[in-house]
Amino acid sequence: MTFPLFHRPGTVVFLDDDPDYLEMLALVLPRQWHLKLFLRPTDCIAHLLQEPPFWEADAWNQQQLIGLWREGKPLIPQILAYWSRYTERYALSRVCVVDFSMPGMDGLQVLSELGDWPGARVLLTGQADEQVAVRAFNRGLIDQFIPKQTQDISRRLVEAVEHLLFTSHARHAQIWRSTLTPEQSALLRAPGVDSWLAAFCAKNWVEHVVIGAPFGVLGMDAAGRIGWLQLETPAGLPALAELAEVAGVPSAGLEDIRKGLRLADIELRQALSATQPPALVNAIPIGEGGALLGALFPVDAPNGPDPDNSYSRWLSRQPKRHVQD
């Protein structure tokens, strides 16, 4: 499945002994990335080796949300509070890009020193180093390698890092997969569904999580605005219409729900303890043959993320890009 169940921004680390090359990267790489640029292997290694306890604490916080959900506490308000409270999650390094050819310690030696640091590893190679990189990739020591002599290397590097940034960490995916039923997991893998969801989330949000109760995707954009992509199966529309009828939705709206033309955000409002009448939004067919229907609802939660703690605001508070020397 190409669609990550859990995704958020993170820091990208670069290590190269050429300060001019690092300065060039600082200028050309996407401005929405948080970068750490290192000249010395020892400094890079020390920075990354202090992170595993913070990764562990963050995973424990996520696991706690699931535990409270199993005890009956709705997930959506818990996730919103987690997003608001733990902005330091953005500082965790998700990808480390290392030049292979460096004096004293080559790139593979650097990566081997990282131990249980859980991020993705990319090796930049010269032409003479490609066979070394191929063997390292086949042994699982690196996630990708890119020859430095590649034409348009900046574009290739951006594509590779963005792919790795958008890939769920295995532990995070396992945590959130536990909220899904086997049927829901199968629906997310249905032809066309995962690619549609991946494109939708990449376009609209910088952070998202998939949950099963209610079934959908909770996402947040860089400015801190939150949306709920509600997911329904055609077979579940009659039950949704029944809930909508109890909630006072007019008969015309009920008929639209039964026909799959519109969806109502009843379960979202129940999770948020909202008192407003249900909203109805046009439904979007997702996947081949309309395996799923989706509808995007704005989330206006009083205890949700503060725009001051959004990713764009957090990024603006970080030091300007510079080489760590």
Side-chain angles (χ1 to χ4, degrees):
M1 186 166 66
T2 58
F3 175 55
L5 300 179
F6 177 93
H7 169 69
R8 68 169 175 230
T11 298
V12 182
V13 169
F14 284 86
L15 169 63
D16 197 298
D17 65 321
D18 183 349
D20 293 334
Y21 185 72
L22 289 177
E23 294 289 356
M24 180 273 292
L25 291 177
L27 293 174
V28 302
L29 292 178
R31 304 312 300 175
Q32 69 269 24
W33 287 6
H34 181 235
L35 297 184
K36 289 280 190 180
L37 307 171
F38 291 94
L39 273 171
R40 298 188 180 91
T42 52
D43 293 341
C44 180
I45 293 168
H47 173 77
L48 293 177
L49 285 183
Q50 55 86 33
E51 286 193 348
F54 297 99
W55 278 83
E56 188 65 28
D58 180 68
W60 184 87
N61 285 331
Q62 294 177 46
Q63 193 65 61
Q64 286 292 101
L65 306 186
I66 305 300
L68 291 172
W69 168 69
R70 295 190 189 283
E71 296 174 5
K73 189 172 182 179
L75 262 178
I76 291 176
Q78 290 193 79
I79 296 168
L80 296 177
Y82 162 76
W83 281 349
S84 180
R85 192 179 305 126
Y86 297 108
T87 53
E88 65 270 22
R89 66 191 183 276
Y90 299 136
L92 293 176
S93 303
R94 295 281 312 283
V95 181
C96 178
V97 183
V98 178
D99 185 26
F100 176 78
S101 181
M102 294 183 294
M105 181 181 287
D106 67 43
L108 278 182
Q109 290 174 316
V110 170
L111 294 176
S112 69
E113 292 289 324
L114 297 183
D116 60 355
W117 175 73
R121 304 159 193 231
V122 178
L123 194 66
L124 296 178
T125 65
Q127 192 165 8
D129 310 318
E130 286 194 38
Q131 288 305 311
V132 175
V134 169
R135 289 194 294 271
F137 179 81
N138 290 336
R139 292 167 56 198
L141 300 178
I142 58 176
D143 297 277
Q144 199 154 350
F145 67 91
I146 301 174
K148 266 191 167 181
Q149 66 272 17
T150 301
Q151 288 188 344
D152 199 5
I153 181 147
S154 297
R155 179 188 59 80
R156 174 83 180 274
L157 188 56
V158 168
E159 289 176 351
V161 172
E162 284 188 337
H163 171 75
L164 293 170
L165 286 173
F166 198 64
T167 302
S168 285
H169 184 266
R171 185 171 181 186
H172 294 158
Q174 181 182 14
I175 289 171
W176 293 99
R177 190 179 294 114
S178 67
T179 74
L180 301 172
T181 67
E183 293 77 16
Q184 289 170 338
S185 294
L187 283 168
L188 295 176
R189 291 181 171 85
V193 171
D194 63 339
S195 58
W196 189 96
L197 290 172
F200 178 91
C201 291
K203 177 182 178 181
N204 290 280
W205 297 323
V206 299
E207 186 162 14
H208 74 257
V209 61
V210 181
I211 61 174
F215 188 30
V217 189
L218 191 68
M220 181 167 59
D221 68 14
R225 292 182 293 263
I226 303 163
W228 168 249
L229 180 65
Q230 184 166 316
L231 300 176
E232 298 283 352
T233 63
L237 294 175
L240 179 61
E242 289 182 11
L243 289 173
E245 185 174 16
V246 172
V249 172
S251 57
L254 300 177
E255 189 61 24
D256 283 349
I257 293 173
R258 294 188 186 100
K259 291 179 179 178
L261 300 177
R262 292 195 286 174
L263 300 182
D265 62 345
I266 295 171
E267 289 182 295
L268 171 65
R269 293 184 180 277
Q270 289 174 343
L272 296 173
S273 301
T275 58
Q276 306 98 314
L280 270 68
V281 170
N282 290 342
I284 309 165
I286 300 174
E288 296 179 12
L292 276 175
L293 295 170
L296 179 61
F297 297 91
V299 177
D300 184 18
N303 297 320
D306 183 340
D308 283 340
N309 289 333
S310 66
Y311 178 66
S312 60
R313 195 66 62 84
W314 178 88
L315 192 60
S316 71
R317 293 194 293 261
Q318 304 312 303
K320 292 185 177 180
R321 296 178 173 185
H322 67 279
V323 178
Q324 311 284 320
D325 54 19

